[in-house]
Amino acid sequence: MSLALELGRKGLTSTHPNPRVGCVIAAGNETIAGGWHERAGEPHAEIHALEKAGRKARGATAYVTLEPCNHQGRTPPCTAALIDAGVSRVVIAMKDPDYRVNGTGEEALRQAGISVETGLMSAVAEALNAGFCKRMREGRPWVRVKVATSQDGRTALRNVDSQWITGEAARADVQKWRARSDVILTGIGTLLADNPTLTARIADPPLLPLRVVVDSHWRTPPDSRLLNDPTKVLIVGSKTEAVPEALAATGVECLCLDPRADRVDLANLMARLADRQINEIQVEAGPTLCGSLLREQLVDEVLWYQAPILLGDGATGPFQLGPLESMKERTHLELQESIYLGRDLRLNFRPVYRTGAAS
């Protein structure tokens, strides 16, 4: 199963909107073949592994990181392929939360006389497809906020200069996280201050996640670098204000939503992005948008890059949360991973909200 999960990770940047899945065919201690889902619309992991195994699959065990599908989509059901191949046992890391599959894949295999076991390394399999699982279960994408700060918690100098807080290794790591995301989300403040492109620069040509700008009052300049890049952009603003003619003339897609307290309704935005089959969002924004997402309990993960520097008084922090009246209002973060990238430290956190449950 470890090997199957390793194979599944090969699809980290390419399977959207499908889950990342790996499969290994084995007999006893012998590994016969393996495969992974490489791209949406193409054969699933089980098909690749079975084709490589050929006749050796008969009587063997299939280790699959996600419950095999039992419905006809863009590809035939994998349960039928496993049954036809004559495997005698299927070990599944986790059930598929997709309502079209959930439990039906296991049942179809059992009905065919195949031994089925579920739950091996399920936590690792869940983490591999955190966004897909979030969308299927809760109707919204997995939201990851990236911040880079000094040791005194600043994201920029008092004069807003922020290039560069972290070193090259940390910045390269950010590109990898961008590449696995379906959306890079920023706010109008960051767009006006930094004029970023927000592409994932780890390939030639660069990978192309959708770039989304939260811009309540349609202030995005038509000559922004973001709009002059071929990657698709979505500007999200208030339905109560007209999109400026100059912005509309660029041809950029504008999503008009009912405002909430004169701002974009972020929960509604997440639901609308889920409707577009968005699994993972990486937020690279200023303290206002990051703070709003955290206050509304829409943040699932924080990538916190800490540089061994001090930026001094008057500089901004990563989350604008407002003054708290009680220590009971503080937000707790659970550390999931820590790793040094050159001189910088990356900390992966999961917020624990006041309801007591981690997002």
Side-chain angles (χ1 to χ4, degrees):
M1 188 61 79
S2 292
L3 177 56
L5 287 161
E6 185 178 325
L7 289 170
R9 289 187 191 96
K10 290 179 178 287
L12 202 63
T13 65
S14 62
T15 64
H16 166 82
N18 290 355
R20 302 132 180 170
V21 182
C23 177
V24 168
I25 309 297
N29 293 326
E30 179 191 0
T31 299
I32 298 172
W36 69 94
H37 182 41
E38 299 176 14
R39 197 166 284 101
E42 296 184 4
H44 290 183
E46 297 93 322
I47 307 304
H48 283 300
L50 290 170
E51 287 180 348
K52 292 176 185 176
R55 294 181 180 180
K56 289 185 177 182
R58 185 162 299 277
T61 297
Y63 292 85
V64 191
T65 60
L66 189 69
E67 179 182 5
C69 62
N70 190 43
H71 65 284
Q72 177 71 48
R74 283 187 282 183
T75 58
C78 292
T79 50
L82 290 163
I83 293 167
D84 291 344
V87 300
S88 62
R89 178 171 168 252
V90 177
V91 180
I92 301 167
M94 64 172 288
K95 285 188 177 183
D96 191 335
D98 188 334
Y99 72 93
R100 298 171 298 176
V101 182
N102 197 351
T104 64
E106 287 186 39
E107 184 58 27
L109 295 171
R110 288 195 176 98
Q111 290 290 334
I114 296 173
S115 173
V116 180
E117 301 168 31
T118 303
L120 180 62
M121 301 186 72
S122 61
V124 183
E126 178 94 18
L128 181 60
N129 287 301
F132 176 79
C133 293
K134 192 81 175 182
R135 179 166 64 89
M136 289 297 151
R137 291 173 183 150
E138 300 183 27
R140 74 165 179 85
W142 181 268
V143 177
R144 180 187 305 111
V145 172
K146 168 259 171 182
V147 297
T149 70
S150 59
Q151 287 296 303
D152 50 351
R154 310 303 187 185
T155 59
L157 297 176
R158 184 169 58 181
N159 63 6
V160 306
D161 183 12
S162 63
Q163 294 186 350
W164 296 99
I165 290 177
T166 56
E168 291 185 6
R171 298 200 298 273
D173 188 65
V174 171
Q175 299 302 319
K176 295 177 183 178
W177 287 94
R178 283 184 181 182
R180 65 172 286 170
S181 305
D182 307 321
V183 159
I184 309 299
L185 179 74
T186 194
I188 183 60
T190 298
L191 182 67
L192 294 175
D194 298 340
N195 196 19
T197 58
L198 299 178
T199 53
R201 296 181 293 276
I202 68 167
D204 186 18
L207 292 164
L208 307 177
L210 172 67
R211 295 163 302 161
V212 177
V213 181
V214 176
D215 180 10
S216 300
H217 305 294
W218 307 108
R219 294 187 291 152
T220 299
D223 60 350
S224 298
R225 292 173 64 202
L226 207 68
L227 303 186
N228 291 321
D229 187 276
T231 313
K232 189 174 181 182
V233 175
L234 174 68
I235 309 293
V236 185
S238 173
K239 186 183 287 186
T240 61
E241 298 184 30
V243 177
E245 290 184 6
L247 182 59
T250 66
V252 67
E253 182 182 4
C254 295
L255 176 61
C256 303
L257 298 179
D258 290 321
R260 182 180 177 187
D262 199 38
R263 295 180 181 273
V264 167
D265 186 333
L266 296 174
N268 186 19
L269 171 59
M270 295 305 158
R272 298 292 286 271
L273 291 174
D275 290 341
R276 295 176 179 231
Q277 296 186 298
I278 299 300
N279 291 330
E280 290 187 23
I281 295 175
Q282 178 145 317
V283 180
E284 300 192 23
T288 301
L289 179 55
C290 291
S292 295
L293 288 165
L294 195 62
R295 285 197 307 274
E296 294 186 33
Q297 301 189 5
L298 293 171
V299 177
D300 301 293
E301 183 177 11
V302 179
L303 292 182
W304 201 311
Y305 295 86
Q306 290 185 346
I309 58 175
L310 300 173
L311 293 183
D313 296 340
T316 58
F319 297 98
Q320 188 179 87
L321 299 174
L324 305 183
E325 301 300 328
S326 166
M327 289 295 281
K328 293 180 181 179
E329 298 179 73
R330 61 190 174 182
T331 299
H332 290 268
L333 302 174
E334 282 189 351
L335 181 63
Q336 305 293 309
E337 182 184 43
S338 62
I339 182 172
Y340 274 100
L341 300 160
R343 296 182 64 197
D344 304 316
L345 178 65
R346 189 193 76 211
L347 302 166
N348 292 49
F349 290 111
R350 299 279 177 87
V352 181
Y353 296 108
R354 291 193 296 276
T355 56
S359 177

